[in-house]
């Protein structure tokens, strides 16, 4: 037996224990089936039978009470207990009869009670009900009638006693089978304990000892001694396991050498990436500084050029030939356009550079300012501005005013010919963000240009068709991103343009994933021309 493998030992022990447990399980299953039948009889037969028998006794008593009450008062309503008792008796007997198929003695007793009840009704109850007056009805309430009913009650008591004896008999059988099941479980537990002890002793000698020795060798390798050779002892399986672990040790040692070389290369690459990231940060800072300085410092010479071009235009208008007037007009227009471009570029570069800090901003109040700023354009276009109850957010009021003003102004500017513009600003909560929408009925944006319109100085129309520098939405995008949000064009809009942007919800705002505003929100503000 010492030459047996671990697998053979375990299979032999498991087979023996399995055979014994299967035999115990077969016997236990048979006893359990008997126990279940006894319990089913207790729960599904004796219990309902006893309950129905008690109900039957109550139904018969109600019949007698109703007949006696009617015989005394002559009131037909006093017959209600009798009528209900008869119906209850029929219902209960119908419930009891299927349960007594295997109990002929009890079924015979129930038949006897039914016969006695029918005889009492035919000799007493029905004549009382059919009597023309109370005096006649009382003549049927005699000692003989009372004796008949007492006999029926005695039969009911005997039925109850038979049901009680049936319950006790079945309960004893269930108790005996239950005790047998407990005994079988104890035997099974004893078999399992003995098998467990035998298995533990066997494992301790042929598994735990060799595995402990193997683990000690593996710990030496884990401590850094990758050149230590691992040998397996004990059963053939553990010897093969030791050889496999030693092969893995050799592979790990080789891989560690490669990892060390790779780590050196990665550290060098990370250093290069760190230097490039720092260079990019410095370059972006320099570019922002350049844009700010350039746009700021170009203001003065450009104002001088624009001023003198305008002086030339006013002083020499009509004194030179038509081509000279045209050239001067071109120069004035170019200087003014350059001045607007530089002003917009300066405003773009200032976003995030000069800050007064975030405060709580009521967007309804901001929209009131936007309404005032765009009033002239709305009056000219006969437009309408509608904004719902907007939330309070953290941000810079000047930047948020500029953001909403740009969106509303664009909606008014890019209107459809002959159609009065209508702009609607609303908000809803989505998770931990406010989603704010600016919707209009204008010319709309083609889906392929949805991202292009947020690029600085990017125009989709000529300056003759729609004036402007093309920087408004780029400024809007930078303001939204500065406040920790995002902005996009709703590609699913069926009419006009819907621009949506998000702003973070303040920490103290109530959590609610449902939209806070819809078309039925109270407090809607409309500003028309």
């Amino acid at each position: 037996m010492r030459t047996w493998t671990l697998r053979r030992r375990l299979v032999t022990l498991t087979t023996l224990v399995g055979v014994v447990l299967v035999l115990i399980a077969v016997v236990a299953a048979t006893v359990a089936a008997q126990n279940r039948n006894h319990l089913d009889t207790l729960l599904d037969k004796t219990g309902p039978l006893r309950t129905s028998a008690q109900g039957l006794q109550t139904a018969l008593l109600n019949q007698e009470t109703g007949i006696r009450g009617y015989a005394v008062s002559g009131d037909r309503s006093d017959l209600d207990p009798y009528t209900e008792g008869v119906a209850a008796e029929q219902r209960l007997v119908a419930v009891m009869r299927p349960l007594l198929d295997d109990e002929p003695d009890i079924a015979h007793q129930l038949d006897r009670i039914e016969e006695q009840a029918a005889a009492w009704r035919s000799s007493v109850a029905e004549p009382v009900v059919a009597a023309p007056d109370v005096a006649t009805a009382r003549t049927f309430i005699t000692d003989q009638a009372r004796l008949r009913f007492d006999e029926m009650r005695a039969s009911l008591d005997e039925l109850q006693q038979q049901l009680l004896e049936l319950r006790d008999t079945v309960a004893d059988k269930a108790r005996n089978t239950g005790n047998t099941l407990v005994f079988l479980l104890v035997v099974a537990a004893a078999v399992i304990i003995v098998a467990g002890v035998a298995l533990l002793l066997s494992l301790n000698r042929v598994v735990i000892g060799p595995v402990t020795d193997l683990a000690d060798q593996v710990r030496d390798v884990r401590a850094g001694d990758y050149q230590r050779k691992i040998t397996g002892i004990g059963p053939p399986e553990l010897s093969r396991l030791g050889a496999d672990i030693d092969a893995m040790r050799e592979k790990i040692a080789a891989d560690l050498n490669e990892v060390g070389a790779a780590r050196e290369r990665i550290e060098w690459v990370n250093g290069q990436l760190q230097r490039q990231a720092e260079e990019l940060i410095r370059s972006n800072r320099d570019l922002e500084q350049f844009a700010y300085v350039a746009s700021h410092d170009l203001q003065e010479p450009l104002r001088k050029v624009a001023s003198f071009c305008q002086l030339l235009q006013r002083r020499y208008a009509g004194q030179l030939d038509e081509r000279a007037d045209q050239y001067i007009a071109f120069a004035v227009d170019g200087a003014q356009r350059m001045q607007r471009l530089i002003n917009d570029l300066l405003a773009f570069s200032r976003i995030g550079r000069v800050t007064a800090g975030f405060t709580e901003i009521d967007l309804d109040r901001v929209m009131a300012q936007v309404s005032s700023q765009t009033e002239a354009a709305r009056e000219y276009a006969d437009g309408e501005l509608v904004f719902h109850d907007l939330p309070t957010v953290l941000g810079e009021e000047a930047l948020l005013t500029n953001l909403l003003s740009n969106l509303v102004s664009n909606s008014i500017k890019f209107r459809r010919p002959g159609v009065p513009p209508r702009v609607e600003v609303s908000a809803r909560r989505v998770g931990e963000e406010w989603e704010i929408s600016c919707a209009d009925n204008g010319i709309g944006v083609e889906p392929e240009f949805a991202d292009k319109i947020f690029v600085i100085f990017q125009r989709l129309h000529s300056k003759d068709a729609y004036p402007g520098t093309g920087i408004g939405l780029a400024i809007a995008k930078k303001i939204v991103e500065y406040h920790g949000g995002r902005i996009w064009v709703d590609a699913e809009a069926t009419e006009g343009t819907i621009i949506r942007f998000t702003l973070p919800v303040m920490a103290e705002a109530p959590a609610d994933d449902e939209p806070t505003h819809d078309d039925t929100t109270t407090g809607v503000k409309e500003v028309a021309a």
Side-chain angles (χ1 to χ4, degrees), residues 211-276:
V211 168
T212 301
D213 181 72
L214 184 61
D216 292 337
Q217 298 179 63
V218 172
R219 290 191 189 94
D220 293 339
V221 175
R222 187 189 65 179
D225 186 7
Y226 297 107
Q227 304 306 319
R228 189 194 193 289
K229 186 172 180 60
I230 296 176
T231 57
I233 59 174
E237 294 91 343
L238 292 180
S239 297
R240 289 194 297 270
L241 177 61
D244 292 339
I245 293 176
D246 190 64
M248 183 174 61
R249 173 195 61 79
E250 294 176 354
K251 182 67 169 59
I252 290 174
D255 290 343
L256 283 176
N257 293 331
E258 295 181 4
V259 169
R263 180 186 299 172
E264 293 179 358
R265 291 194 298 271
I266 291 173
E267 289 177 352
W268 180 82
V269 171
N270 284 339
Q272 293 294 106
L273 290 176
Q274 182 66 26
R275 285 192 291 272
Q276 290 179 5

Side-chain angles (χ1 to χ4, degrees), residues 167-200:
R167 185 203 65 179
D168 293 340
T169 301
V170 176
D172 290 339
K173 293 180 180 179
R175 192 176 300 110
N176 292 334
T177 54
N179 292 335
T180 304
L181 278 176
V182 172
F183 173 75
L184 291 174
L185 290 175
V186 171
V187 172
V191 171
I192 293 174
I193 291 173
V194 171
V197 171
L199 180 62
L200 179 60

Side-chain angles (χ1 to χ4, degrees), residues 36 41 68 104 149 158 166 205 211 236 298 301 336 375 407 418 494 528:
R36 183 171 61 252
T41 302
R68 287 185 176 277
F149 195 83
E158 184 177 350
L166 175 63
R205 187 175 65 179
V211 168
L298 286 175
Q336 290 176 343
E375 183 177 2
L407 296 180
T494 57

